[in-house]
Amino acid sequence: MPQPPSSGEILSRGLTGSCPKCGQRGLFRNWFLLKDACPHCGLSLGKEDGFYLGTTSIGYVAAIIIVLIPICFLVVADVIGVWTGVAIGIAGSLVLVAALYPAMLMALITVYYFFRPQELADSAENDA
């Protein structure tokens, strides 16, 4: 029975955008879409419906902390106007979420396999 990658390997592979099973790159079809499977080892990246919706939650929290809260302080301190703050908040949130989207997808995959590494070994067993 093949051994799954160690927790450290899974984390380092996730941080570099690599496959949690084989460590190879190339999981993305484009900036916003994952391929159905790893092109090198065949690890299925298609999870049940709603699995990748977690990226939406991560993006909302990041936008609130990084963009909206500082803008609220600037508006309250009368450094910028309300409508300027609204415009910057909307634009900044959209840009931030779009820029971080691949990292959020990889974070979701990494956390999933970090807590369920045996699935990587099981998928290797099914490949044989």
Side-chain angles (χ1 to χ4, degrees):
M1 182 176 199
Q3 289 293 318
S6 69
S7 297
E9 287 176 315
I10 292 171
L11 287 176
S12 67
R13 290 172 180 178
L15 289 172
T16 59
S18 304
C19 174
K21 181 178 170 185
C22 69
Q24 297 294 314
R25 300 196 69 155
L27 300 181
F28 288 91
R29 186 172 308 201
N30 61 40
W31 193 261
F32 296 103
L33 288 175
L34 284 169
K35 293 180 179 174
D36 294 331
C38 174
H40 304 282
C41 68
L43 176 69
S44 175
L45 299 171
K47 300 293 180 199
E48 60 273 353
D49 286 342
F51 178 81
Y52 292 109
L53 290 178
T55 56
T56 306
S57 302
I58 297 168
Y60 287 152
V61 171
I64 289 168
I65 293 170
I66 297 170
V67 177
L68 298 178
I69 290 175
I71 288 174
C72 287
F73 280 117
L74 292 174
V75 169
V76 169
D78 231 4
V79 174
I80 60 174
V82 172
W83 290 111
T84 303
V86 169
I88 294 171
I90 291 170
S93 296
L94 291 173
V95 168
L96 178 73
V97 171
L100 293 180
Y101 195 75
M104 292 185 292
L105 283 172
M106 285 309 303
L108 216 55
I109 292 169
T110 301
V111 168
Y112 178 81
Y113 285 114
F114 181 81
F115 289 106
R116 302 185 71 142
Q118 192 56 41
E119 286 191 25
L120 295 173
D122 293 344
S123 70
E125 202 172 85
N126 292 339
D127 294 344

PDB file of all heavy atoms in Angstrom, residues 89-111:
ATOM      1  N   GLY A  89     -13.617  50.902  -2.119  1.00  0.00           N
ATOM      2  CA  GLY A  89     -13.950  49.622  -1.481  1.00  0.00           C
ATOM      3  C   GLY A  89     -14.418  48.582  -2.476  1.00  0.00           C
ATOM      4  O   GLY A  89     -13.987  47.424  -2.437  1.00  0.00           O
ATOM      5  N   ILE A  90     -15.287  48.980  -3.383  1.00  0.00           N
ATOM      6  CA  ILE A  90     -15.794  48.044  -4.387  1.00  0.00           C
ATOM      7  C   ILE A  90     -14.668  47.610  -5.331  1.00  0.00           C
ATOM      8  O   ILE A  90     -14.448  46.418  -5.544  1.00  0.00           O
ATOM      9  CB  ILE A  90     -16.968  48.658  -5.177  1.00  0.00           C
ATOM     10  CG1 ILE A  90     -18.191  48.803  -4.270  1.00  0.00           C
ATOM     11  CG2 ILE A  90     -17.304  47.813  -6.406  1.00  0.00           C
ATOM     12  CD1 ILE A  90     -19.323  49.605  -4.872  1.00  0.00           C
ATOM     13  N   ALA A  91     -13.953  48.585  -5.871  1.00  0.00           N
ATOM     14  CA  ALA A  91     -12.879  48.266  -6.819  1.00  0.00           C
ATOM     15  C   ALA A  91     -11.764  47.464  -6.134  1.00  0.00           C
ATOM     16  O   ALA A  91     -11.290  46.458  -6.674  1.00  0.00           O
ATOM     17  CB  ALA A  91     -12.317  49.552  -7.419  1.00  0.00           C
ATOM     18  N   GLY A  92     -11.369  47.889  -4.961  1.00  0.00           N
ATOM     19  CA  GLY A  92     -10.298  47.198  -4.244  1.00  0.00           C
ATOM     20  C   GLY A  92     -10.672  45.772  -3.880  1.00  0.00           C
ATOM     21  O   GLY A  92      -9.854  44.849  -3.983  1.00  0.00           O
ATOM     22  N   SER A  93     -11.918  45.561  -3.476  1.00  0.00           N
ATOM     23  CA  SER A  93     -12.371  44.210  -3.128  1.00  0.00           C
ATOM     24  C   SER A  93     -12.364  43.299  -4.349  1.00  0.00           C
ATOM     25  O   SER A  93     -11.938  42.145  -4.269  1.00  0.00           O
ATOM     26  CB  SER A  93     -13.769  44.267  -2.518  1.00  0.00           C
ATOM     27  OG  SER A  93     -13.753  44.967  -1.304  1.00  0.00           O
ATOM     28  N   LEU A  94     -12.853  43.798  -5.475  1.00  0.00           N
ATOM     29  CA  LEU A  94     -12.874  42.993  -6.692  1.00  0.00           C
ATOM     30  C   LEU A  94     -11.469  42.632  -7.158  1.00  0.00           C
ATOM     31  O   LEU A  94     -11.190  41.480  -7.512  1.00  0.00           O
ATOM     32  CB  LEU A  94     -13.620  43.730  -7.802  1.00  0.00           C
ATOM     33  CG  LEU A  94     -15.133  43.888  -7.606  1.00  0.00           C
ATOM     34  CD1 LEU A  94     -15.721  44.777  -8.699  1.00  0.00           C
ATOM     35  CD2 LEU A  94     -15.814  42.534  -7.588  1.00  0.00           C
ATOM     36  N   VAL A  95     -10.572  43.603  -7.145  1.00  0.00           N
ATOM     37  CA  VAL A  95      -9.194  43.356  -7.572  1.00  0.00           C
ATOM     38  C   VAL A  95      -8.504  42.369  -6.629  1.00  0.00           C
ATOM     39  O   VAL A  95      -7.823  41.435  -7.074  1.00  0.00           O
ATOM     40  CB  VAL A  95      -8.401  44.682  -7.673  1.00  0.00           C
ATOM     41  CG1 VAL A  95      -6.911  44.434  -7.828  1.00  0.00           C
ATOM     42  CG2 VAL A  95      -8.930  45.537  -8.818  1.00  0.00           C
ATOM     43  N   LEU A  96      -8.692  42.554  -5.326  1.00  0.00           N
ATOM     44  CA  LEU A  96      -8.055  41.664  -4.354  1.00  0.00           C
ATOM     45  C   LEU A  96      -8.525  40.228  -4.516  1.00  0.00           C
ATOM     46  O   LEU A  96      -7.717  39.302  -4.563  1.00  0.00           O
ATOM     47  CB  LEU A  96      -8.332  42.151  -2.929  1.00  0.00           C
ATOM     48  CG  LEU A  96      -7.747  41.263  -1.831  1.00  0.00           C
ATOM     49  CD1 LEU A  96      -6.235  41.434  -1.771  1.00  0.00           C
ATOM     50  CD2 LEU A  96      -8.377  41.570  -0.495  1.00  0.00           C
ATOM     51  N   VAL A  97      -9.839  40.037  -4.610  1.00  0.00           N
ATOM     52  CA  VAL A  97     -10.370  38.677  -4.730  1.00  0.00           C
ATOM     53  C   VAL A  97      -9.907  38.029  -6.038  1.00  0.00           C
ATOM     54  O   VAL A  97      -9.524  36.849  -6.053  1.00  0.00           O
ATOM     55  CB  VAL A  97     -11.915  38.677  -4.602  1.00  0.00           C
ATOM     56  CG1 VAL A  97     -12.495  37.331  -4.946  1.00  0.00           C
ATOM     57  CG2 VAL A  97     -12.315  39.083  -3.189  1.00  0.00           C
ATOM     58  N   ALA A  98      -9.914  38.773  -7.119  1.00  0.00           N
ATOM     59  CA  ALA A  98      -9.448  38.214  -8.397  1.00  0.00           C
ATOM     60  C   ALA A  98      -7.960  37.871  -8.340  1.00  0.00           C
ATOM     61  O   ALA A  98      -7.534  36.833  -8.848  1.00  0.00           O
ATOM     62  CB  ALA A  98      -9.720  39.198  -9.533  1.00  0.00           C
ATOM     63  N   ALA A  99      -7.167  38.720  -7.703  1.00  0.00           N
ATOM     64  CA  ALA A  99      -5.723  38.473  -7.623  1.00  0.00           C
ATOM     65  C   ALA A  99      -5.401  37.264  -6.748  1.00  0.00           C
ATOM     66  O   ALA A  99      -4.470  36.516  -7.032  1.00  0.00           O
ATOM     67  CB  ALA A  99      -5.014  39.711  -7.082  1.00  0.00           C
ATOM     68  N   LEU A 100      -6.174  37.062  -5.707  1.00  0.00           N
ATOM     69  CA  LEU A 100      -5.899  35.972  -4.768  1.00  0.00           C
ATOM     70  C   LEU A 100      -6.602  34.667  -5.111  1.00  0.00           C
ATOM     71  O   LEU A 100      -6.379  33.656  -4.439  1.00  0.00           O
ATOM     72  CB  LEU A 100      -6.312  36.393  -3.350  1.00  0.00           C
ATOM     73  CG  LEU A 100      -5.511  37.502  -2.694  1.00  0.00           C
ATOM     74  CD1 LEU A 100      -6.059  37.790  -1.301  1.00  0.00           C
ATOM     75  CD2 LEU A 100      -4.041  37.144  -2.621  1.00  0.00           C
ATOM     76  N   TYR A 101      -7.438  34.650  -6.131  1.00  0.00           N
ATOM     77  CA  TYR A 101      -8.268  33.474  -6.401  1.00  0.00           C
ATOM     78  C   TYR A 101      -7.470  32.173  -6.569  1.00  0.00           C
ATOM     79  O   TYR A 101      -7.814  31.166  -5.953  1.00  0.00           O
ATOM     80  CB  TYR A 101      -9.181  33.721  -7.595  1.00  0.00           C
ATOM     81  CG  TYR A 101     -10.283  32.708  -7.686  1.00  0.00           C
ATOM     82  CD1 TYR A 101     -11.359  32.767  -6.812  1.00  0.00           C
ATOM     83  CD2 TYR A 101     -10.244  31.674  -8.606  1.00  0.00           C
ATOM     84  CE1 TYR A 101     -12.374  31.823  -6.863  1.00  0.00           C
ATOM     85  CE2 TYR A 101     -11.251  30.732  -8.673  1.00  0.00           C
ATOM     86  CZ  TYR A 101     -12.312  30.820  -7.797  1.00  0.00           C
ATOM     87  OH  TYR A 101     -13.306  29.884  -7.839  1.00  0.00           O
ATOM     88  N   PRO A 102      -6.397  32.127  -7.366  1.00  0.00           N
ATOM     89  CA  PRO A 102      -5.646  30.869  -7.469  1.00  0.00           C
ATOM     90  C   PRO A 102      -5.074  30.418  -6.128  1.00  0.00           C
ATOM     91  O   PRO A 102      -5.087  29.233  -5.799  1.00  0.00           O
ATOM     92  CB  PRO A 102      -4.532  31.178  -8.468  1.00  0.00           C
ATOM     93  CG  PRO A 102      -5.002  32.359  -9.227  1.00  0.00           C
ATOM     94  CD  PRO A 102      -5.878  33.140  -8.291  1.00  0.00           C
ATOM     95  N   ALA A 103      -4.588  31.363  -5.344  1.00  0.00           N
ATOM     96  CA  ALA A 103      -4.048  31.017  -4.025  1.00  0.00           C
ATOM     97  C   ALA A 103      -5.148  30.480  -3.114  1.00  0.00           C
ATOM     98  O   ALA A 103      -4.912  29.550  -2.330  1.00  0.00           O
ATOM     99  CB  ALA A 103      -3.375  32.230  -3.389  1.00  0.00           C
ATOM    100  N   MET A 104      -6.345  31.025  -3.218  1.00  0.00           N
ATOM    101  CA  MET A 104      -7.462  30.540  -2.399  1.00  0.00           C
ATOM    102  C   MET A 104      -7.867  29.127  -2.808  1.00  0.00           C
ATOM    103  O   MET A 104      -8.174  28.290  -1.958  1.00  0.00           O
ATOM    104  CB  MET A 104      -8.644  31.505  -2.492  1.00  0.00           C
ATOM    105  CG  MET A 104      -8.375  32.845  -1.851  1.00  0.00           C
ATOM    106  SD  MET A 104      -9.781  33.976  -1.815  1.00  0.00           S
ATOM    107  CE  MET A 104     -10.011  34.362  -3.535  1.00  0.00           C
ATOM    108  N   LEU A 105      -7.864  28.844  -4.111  1.00  0.00           N
ATOM    109  CA  LEU A 105      -8.157  27.485  -4.573  1.00  0.00           C
ATOM    110  C   LEU A 105      -7.124  26.497  -4.037  1.00  0.00           C
ATOM    111  O   LEU A 105      -7.474  25.421  -3.539  1.00  0.00           O
ATOM    112  CB  LEU A 105      -8.177  27.424  -6.104  1.00  0.00           C
ATOM    113  CG  LEU A 105      -9.401  27.953  -6.811  1.00  0.00           C
ATOM    114  CD1 LEU A 105      -9.160  27.983  -8.320  1.00  0.00           C
ATOM    115  CD2 LEU A 105     -10.620  27.131  -6.484  1.00  0.00           C
ATOM    116  N   MET A 106      -5.856  26.856  -4.123  1.00  0.00           N
ATOM    117  CA  MET A 106      -4.807  25.968  -3.633  1.00  0.00           C
ATOM    118  C   MET A 106      -4.889  25.802  -2.119  1.00  0.00           C
ATOM    119  O   MET A 106      -4.632  24.718  -1.602  1.00  0.00           O
ATOM    120  CB  MET A 106      -3.425  26.487  -4.031  1.00  0.00           C
ATOM    121  CG  MET A 106      -3.074  26.271  -5.484  1.00  0.00           C
ATOM    122  SD  MET A 106      -3.302  24.578  -6.092  1.00  0.00           S
ATOM    123  CE  MET A 106      -2.291  23.621  -5.010  1.00  0.00           C
ATOM    124  N   ALA A 107      -5.266  26.869  -1.411  1.00  0.00           N
ATOM    125  CA  ALA A 107      -5.411  26.759   0.043  1.00  0.00           C
ATOM    126  C   ALA A 107      -6.500  25.755   0.395  1.00  0.00           C
ATOM    127  O   ALA A 107      -6.333  24.939   1.310  1.00  0.00           O
ATOM    128  CB  ALA A 107      -5.732  28.128   0.642  1.00  0.00           C
ATOM    129  N   LEU A 108      -7.597  25.791  -0.331  1.00  0.00           N
ATOM    130  CA  LEU A 108      -8.697  24.847  -0.079  1.00  0.00           C
ATOM    131  C   LEU A 108      -8.254  23.406  -0.335  1.00  0.00           C
ATOM    132  O   LEU A 108      -8.511  22.517   0.479  1.00  0.00           O
ATOM    133  CB  LEU A 108      -9.872  25.213  -0.987  1.00  0.00           C
ATOM    134  CG  LEU A 108     -11.261  25.037  -0.447  1.00  0.00           C
ATOM    135  CD1 LEU A 108     -11.454  25.773   0.856  1.00  0.00           C
ATOM    136  CD2 LEU A 108     -12.270  25.520  -1.458  1.00  0.00           C
ATOM    137  N   ILE A 109      -7.576  23.178  -1.445  1.00  0.00           N
ATOM    138  CA  ILE A 109      -7.089  21.829  -1.776  1.00  0.00           C
ATOM    139  C   ILE A 109      -6.069  21.366  -0.737  1.00  0.00           C
ATOM    140  O   ILE A 109      -6.101  20.223  -0.275  1.00  0.00           O
ATOM    141  CB  ILE A 109      -6.476  21.815  -3.189  1.00  0.00           C
ATOM    142  CG1 ILE A 109      -7.565  22.019  -4.236  1.00  0.00           C
ATOM    143  CG2 ILE A 109      -5.721  20.519  -3.452  1.00  0.00           C
ATOM    144  CD1 ILE A 109      -7.034  22.281  -5.621  1.00  0.00           C
ATOM    145  N   THR A 110      -5.171  22.263  -0.348  1.00  0.00           N
ATOM    146  CA  THR A 110      -4.134  21.920   0.624  1.00  0.00           C
ATOM    147  C   THR A 110      -4.731  21.545   1.964  1.00  0.00           C
ATOM    148  O   THR A 110      -4.360  20.529   2.558  1.00  0.00           O
ATOM    149  CB  THR A 110      -3.148  23.095   0.789  1.00  0.00           C
ATOM    150  OG1 THR A 110      -2.562  23.376  -0.482  1.00  0.00           O
ATOM    151  CG2 THR A 110      -2.067  22.776   1.800  1.00  0.00           C
ATOM    152  N   VAL A 111      -5.664  22.341   2.456  1.00  0.00           N
ATOM    153  CA  VAL A 111      -6.291  22.044   3.750  1.00  0.00           C
ATOM    154  C   VAL A 111      -7.046  20.722   3.679  1.00  0.00           C
ATOM    155  O   VAL A 111      -6.975  19.905   4.602  1.00  0.00           O
ATOM    156  CB  VAL A 111      -7.224  23.203   4.184  1.00  0.00           C
ATOM    157  CG1 VAL A 111      -8.096  22.808   5.348  1.00  0.00           C
ATOM    158  CG2 VAL A 111      -6.407  24.429   4.520  1.00  0.00           C
TER     159      VAL A 111
END
